[in-house]
């Protein structure tokens, strides 16, 4: 079996990041189920380069490489912290630079982190519409985590680990070639 090129995009704006930790945990669970070649993109690493970019053709090399990795992925894991009821602005800005036809049919596992469970609908009300625009295949189960699911920016909650397993189990067939 050929390894799936999995790109995990974390929309957190700082280090350390619960969104990045969640992306890493999901990626590890996928790797336990199928062969992958994983690449991680952290918006936090692109903040200074991404903020002034107006179009993909004018992007600095770090941003161009991130966009290329996203556009050529076999599958995506996307995570973002909830900021004012939605994803972070620079996370959205990164995806604004992705060609509108590059992700047609690409499986995407959606995930988010927030301060409380009140923000859990961000997956269905913000992330799914964004990837519907790209005509991506959003996987049936998203993963939401709140701050209490982490210890020292590592996934520590058994309930969250189970939600990650469920999302991967229900979506793995869409990830395999």
């Amino acid at each position: 079996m050929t390894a799936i090129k999995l790109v995990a995009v974390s929309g957190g704006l700082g280090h350390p990041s619960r969104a990045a930790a969640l992306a890493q945990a999901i990626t590890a669970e996928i790797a336990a189920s199928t062969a992958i070649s994983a690449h991680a993109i952290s918006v936090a690493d692109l903040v200074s380069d991404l903020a002034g970019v107006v179009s993909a053709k004018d992007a600095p090399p770090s941003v161009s490489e991130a966009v290329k990795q996203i556009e050529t992925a076999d599958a995506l894991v996307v995570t973002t912290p909830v900021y004012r009821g939605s994803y972070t602005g620079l996370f959205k800005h990164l995806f604004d630079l992705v060609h509108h036809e590059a992700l047609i049919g690409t499986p995407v596992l959606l995930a988010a982190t927030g301060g409380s469970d009140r923000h859990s609908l961000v997956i269905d009300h913000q992330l799914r519409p964004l990837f519907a625009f790209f005509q991506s295949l959003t996987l049936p189960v998203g993963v939401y985590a709140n701050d209490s699911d982490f210890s020292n920016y590592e996934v520590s909650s058994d309930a969250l680990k189970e939600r990650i397993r469920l999302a991967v189990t229900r979506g793995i067939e869409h990830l395999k070639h």
Side-chain angles (χ1 to χ4, degrees), residues 10 13 31 62 77 99 103 106 114 118 121 138-139 141-142 156 166 169:
S10 168
L13 301 180
S62 63
V77 169
H99 190 275
L103 301 178
T106 301
R118 292 187 312 253
L121 289 175
T138 57
L139 298 185
V141 178
S156 60
L166 176 66
T169 300

Side-chain angles (χ1 to χ4, degrees), residues 1 3-4 6 23-38 77 164 168 172 175-176:
M1 174 188 300
I4 297 165
L6 179 77
Q24 184 178 20
I26 293 168
T27 299
E29 186 67 26
I30 292 169
S33 300
T34 192
I36 65 169
S37 168
V77 169
I164 291 169
V168 171
I172 196 70
L175 299 177
K176 295 181 180 178

